[in-house]
Amino acid sequence: MNKGKTIALNSILVILSLITIVPFIWMLLSSFAPNSEIVKIGGSLFPTPSSISNYLDVQEKFNFLRMFANSLFIAITTTVIIIYTSALMGFVFAKFRFWGKNVLFGVVLSTMMLPWAVTIIPKYEMMVDFGWLDSYKALIIPSMVSGFGIFMFRQAISQIPDEMLEAARVDGASDFYIFHRIILPMSQNTIASLAIFQFLWSWEDFLWPYLMINNEEKQLLSVGLRMFNGQYGTDYGGLFAATSISIIPVIVIYIIFQKRFIAGVSSGSIK
Amino acid sequence: MNKKLTRFRFDMKTIAVLLLIIYFAIFLVYPIYKAFAGSLHNWNPLIDKYDFVGLDNFKNVLTSSLFWQSMKNTFTFAFFSVVFRIIFGLGLALLISSKFTKMRTVFQGLFYMPTITPLVAVSFVWMWMFDPQFGLINKIFNLDINWLKDSTWALPAIIIMTIWKDFGYATVLFLGGLMGLPEDVFEASKIDGASAWQTFWRITVPLLKPTTLFVLITSLITYLQAYIQILIMTEGGPGTSTYVISYLIFDEAFVKYNFGTASAMAIILFVMIGILTVLMFKATGERKMKS
């Protein structure tokens, strides 16, 4: 009975996961196929992979690796900063009392329902006034705080018992010490989940880099992909090659942090 | 940690709170104020124009048929995307968390693949999937639909792609929710002889209410302002069949540089999302996300 259930359930999951990843398989196979193979009338369902020329071409036609490196730099920097600020503010909101705390936390929560469209025009103007166009300051500084991140950390840190922090305090530990040596190490699950979420959001962000960066040397990959499609709209193999590579970093981040991911979501976002 | 000391001190807490307030003042309060002010002006940065026009922008927006068309498309898009995201997300989370499931982390990873793929990249792949001649969708299902160029099918095509891309996020949140459920309740219901079906509807679903509400609200907020897939795949077309509100705002602001009109639309969207969020909390009887 149980064996039958096990087989049935796992078969369903195998079939569903295959359906889910078909577009990836198709993209990957196409990225190794010449254009003539991809657009062959009456061709087979999946193109036959035969060469790596698409990958070489993309780099030659387009400064692909440069944009890849730029995106990696920005995504890692903003993710690290946001994890740190979120953990710190989460700690402050979870374990301290101060005047206006509930109002301020209400503001933090309300940032989650604030449409990007409301603030983007004024922020765009501010960046122009500051002279930050074409500078990574514009990509990093306005993105240092995340309402979602603060919320997750506050929920998780609330569950750390006060007695533990009191004990450290009695031993003469400063808040600074408690935060770095007790809170952060105990928040590894939340750090892992936020790393996965935030890295993806930074990596796939399109509009802000599109507005801020005009210099091709400094451009990010998501904007680059669209430019590539505009310039070489018929080079499908090249587009698939570029797209395939653009997915890798997010998958790597996921694999690094996945062990603690679900636990982090569980303790972090909702209870 | 009850701090009895109320005397002002430059400790970590004070510095952190002050920095957060300064940050919000610059990157949140000022831009929101500026958006409200801008919505009352004929504002075009290209010709350096900033003239007060009162509520004219709002009048023009609310009488524009493209705006209402976009609203209708936005709600259609958001409704189907949210409903299917929750159904697939919960369904798969239940399957994965079953004790009969082997290799949970592998399945979890595979189902999460689309979610961790950048939206710009996904949009390109699906443009090609929907291609009438060479696309996988028509080939597999033996259809003859020009998905993205047909005004009947363009929006459904974008919804299908969005559901595929996003159900993994709901799966993960529901898995997290299921993980946090108390074991003993399930033990008790088993001892009482409840069927799997009864356990699901009477215990799992009510206990997952906070998670469901969280998924519902965050998804709705996300989808009411989605536009990247539209920008890449259809640019609002064919005709105006896939114009959504955020794409319209993008177009008005950064293609036509009508900052005033775009700000007015953004504020309407803001108010709408605010009202919907409050209504959902009221309707579900949940006071806060965290009790």
Side-chain angles (χ1 to χ4, degrees):
Chain A
M1 174 63 190
N2 280 358
K3 203 167 181 196
K5 263 189 192 167
T6 309
I7 293 170
L9 192 70
N10 287 284
S11 316
I12 295 173
L13 282 168
V14 168
I15 293 167
L16 290 176
S17 51
L18 279 179
I19 296 172
T20 309
I21 58 170
V22 156
F24 291 106
I25 295 169
W26 191 58
M27 174 184 73
L28 208 57
L29 291 176
S30 304
S31 72
F32 289 105
N35 272 319
S36 57
E37 173 79 18
I38 301 172
V39 296
K40 203 162 74 186
I41 305 271
S44 57
L45 218 47
F46 293 94
T48 329
S50 56
S51 78
I52 58 162
S53 63
N54 289 329
Y55 287 87
L56 303 176
D57 284 358
V58 165
Q59 177 54 20
E60 203 155 295
K61 281 190 203 163
F62 213 55
N63 205 346
F64 185 80
L65 287 179
R66 179 66 203 239
M67 293 186 185
F68 185 87
N70 293 345
S71 278
L72 208 55
F73 171 73
I74 292 294
I76 290 175
T77 310
T78 47
T79 304
V80 169
I81 293 176
I82 283 184
I83 287 175
Y84 188 82
T85 58
S86 301
L88 179 64
M89 291 321 303
F91 175 43
V92 169
F93 280 116
K95 296 294 181 194
F96 291 90
R97 284 184 183 178
F98 53 91
W99 188 82
K101 173 172 153 175
N102 289 338
V103 175
L104 194 60
F105 192 65
V107 174
V108 169
L109 287 183
S110 68
T111 60
M112 285 199 273
M113 49 157 274
L114 181 70
W116 59 262
V118 173
T119 53
I120 199 155
I121 295 172
K123 275 197 207 160
Y124 171 82
E125 264 222 331
M126 281 164 75
M127 296 300 119
V128 175
D129 290 345
F130 293 175
W132 287 3
L133 287 190
D134 267 334
S135 149
Y136 284 166
K137 276 183 276 186
L139 299 186
I140 296 170
I141 294 176
S143 322
M144 293 196 307
V145 171
S146 153
F148 179 80
I150 295 175
F151 175 64
M152 274 185 85
F153 270 103
R154 196 202 81 139
Q155 304 299 81
I157 293 170
S158 305
Q159 291 159 33
I160 296 176
D162 282 348
E163 294 74 39
M164 189 179 259
L165 307 184
E166 278 310 341
R169 207 172 284 273
V170 169
D171 289 345
S174 64
D175 290 343
F176 191 77
Y177 182 94
I178 292 177
F179 174 65
H180 289 96
R181 296 298 172 84
I182 300 177
I183 300 291
L184 277 184
M186 287 186 75
S187 306
Q188 287 184 36
N189 293 345
T190 315
I191 292 174
S193 333
L194 192 59
I196 291 179
F197 284 128
Q198 189 57 48
F199 184 85
L200 170 70
W201 290 334
S202 305
W203 183 259
E204 73 174 0
D205 191 17
F206 172 81
L207 185 54
W208 194 241
Y210 168 81
L211 294 175
M212 290 297 114
I213 308 293
N214 292 312
N215 182 345
E216 212 167 292
E217 281 285 297
K218 292 183 179 171
Q219 194 50 277
L220 303 192
L221 194 58
S222 54
V223 183
L225 278 177
R226 183 158 181 259
M227 278 159 43
F228 181 86
N229 193 48
Q231 284 169 30
Y232 307 100
T234 49
D235 183 5
Y236 305 111
L239 186 64
F240 286 138
T243 310
S244 302
I245 298 176
S246 79
I247 294 175
I248 294 171
V250 205
I251 292 181
V252 170
I253 294 284
Y254 177 78
I255 291 172
I256 294 173
F257 291 108
Q258 56 108 8
K259 264 195 179 156
R260 296 174 172 277
F261 182 42
I262 301 291
V265 171
S266 179
S267 69
S269 56
I270 34 232
K271 256 285 143 66
Chain B
M1 211 172 299
N2 298 333
K3 302 212 80 184
K4 278 157 199 131
L5 215 59
T6 48
R7 191 156 45 91
F8 188 83
R9 291 194 313 166
F10 273 105
D11 52 8
M12 194 188 78
K13 168 198 77 180
T14 317
I15 295 168
V17 171
L18 281 178
L19 285 177
L20 186 70
I21 291 174
I22 294 170
Y23 186 90
F24 275 161
I26 299 172
F27 291 110
L28 189 70
V29 177
Y30 172 74
I32 292 176
Y33 154 75
K34 184 71 189 166
F36 272 93
S39 70
L40 303 175
H41 289 78
N42 183 354
W43 182 12
N44 186 324
L46 293 185
I47 49 172
D48 211 13
K49 195 173 199 168
Y50 193 71
D51 303 331
F52 184 78
V53 291
L55 292 173
D56 279 7
N57 287 327
F58 287 94
K59 259 184 238 160
N60 293 339
V61 168
L62 292 171
T63 52
S64 137
S65 60
L66 184 55
F67 172 80
W68 291 109
Q69 169 78 36
S70 305
M71 275 294 177
K72 194 182 135 219
N73 292 341
T74 306
F75 275 95
T76 312
F77 170 81
F79 176 80
F80 286 106
S81 304
V82 169
V83 168
F84 282 103
R85 186 189 222 183
I86 289 178
I87 293 173
F88 289 145
L90 180 58
L92 284 167
L94 288 169
L95 287 180
I96 293 174
S97 65
S98 157
K99 62 177 186 290
F100 300 112
T101 300
K102 310 281 180 209
M103 299 191 300
R104 276 180 203 169
T105 49
V106 175
F107 285 122
Q108 191 183 301
L110 288 177
F111 290 125
Y112 206 55
M113 276 275 285
T115 309
I116 56 173
T117 308
L119 188 50
V120 174
V122 165
S123 304
F124 281 123
V125 174
W126 278 78
M127 257 175 102
W128 196 237
M129 299 267 296
F130 283 125
D131 188 276
Q133 264 183 303
F134 315 109
L136 208 53
I137 304 269
N138 276 1
K139 275 187 188 169
I140 288 179
F141 297 103
N142 207 8
L143 296 169
D144 184 22
I145 298 174
N146 195 347
W147 292 89
L148 299 172
K149 297 276 156 51
D150 182 325
S151 55
T152 322
W153 291 107
L155 194 60
I158 287 178
I159 293 172
I160 291 171
M161 169 261 169
T162 306
I163 294 166
W164 174 83
K165 157 93 168 100
D166 280 350
F167 73 87
Y169 167 83
T171 307
V172 162
L173 288 179
F174 280 120
L175 277 172
L178 286 168
M179 200 171 133
L181 298 186
E183 294 261 337
D184 48 340
V185 184
F186 290 94
E187 288 297 324
S189 88
K190 204 173 165 189
I191 292 165
D192 291 345
S195 71
W197 191 245
Q198 281 171 325
T199 312
F200 174 70
W201 284 109
R202 301 275 175 78
I203 297 175
T204 313
V205 168
L207 283 177
L208 279 181
K209 197 167 134 188
T211 312
T212 314
L213 185 66
F214 185 82
V215 175
L216 181 69
I217 291 178
T218 51
S219 303
L220 197 65
I221 293 173
T222 309
Y223 291 139
L224 287 178
Q225 23 172 351
Y227 71 100
I228 294 213
Q229 48 274 65
I230 308 246
L231 175 71
I232 306 273
M233 293 169 78
T234 63
E235 297 195 308
T240 56
S241 59
T242 56
Y243 260 87
V244 290
I245 184 69
S246 288
Y247 180 72
L248 188 63
I249 295 172
F250 165 80
D251 189 58
E252 207 61 52
F254 300 114
V255 178
K256 301 188 179 125
Y257 285 91
N258 290 327
F259 278 11
T261 319
S263 299
M265 289 175 179
I267 283 170
I268 296 172
L269 179 66
F270 184 23
V271 171
M272 213 174 64
I273 289 180
I275 293 173
L276 272 174
T277 311
V278 171
L279 281 182
M280 267 185 300
F281 277 116
K282 284 247 160 81
T284 49
E286 206 83 19
R287 292 274 303 282
K288 282 183 193 164
M289 277 183 215
K290 160 96 185 165
S291 52

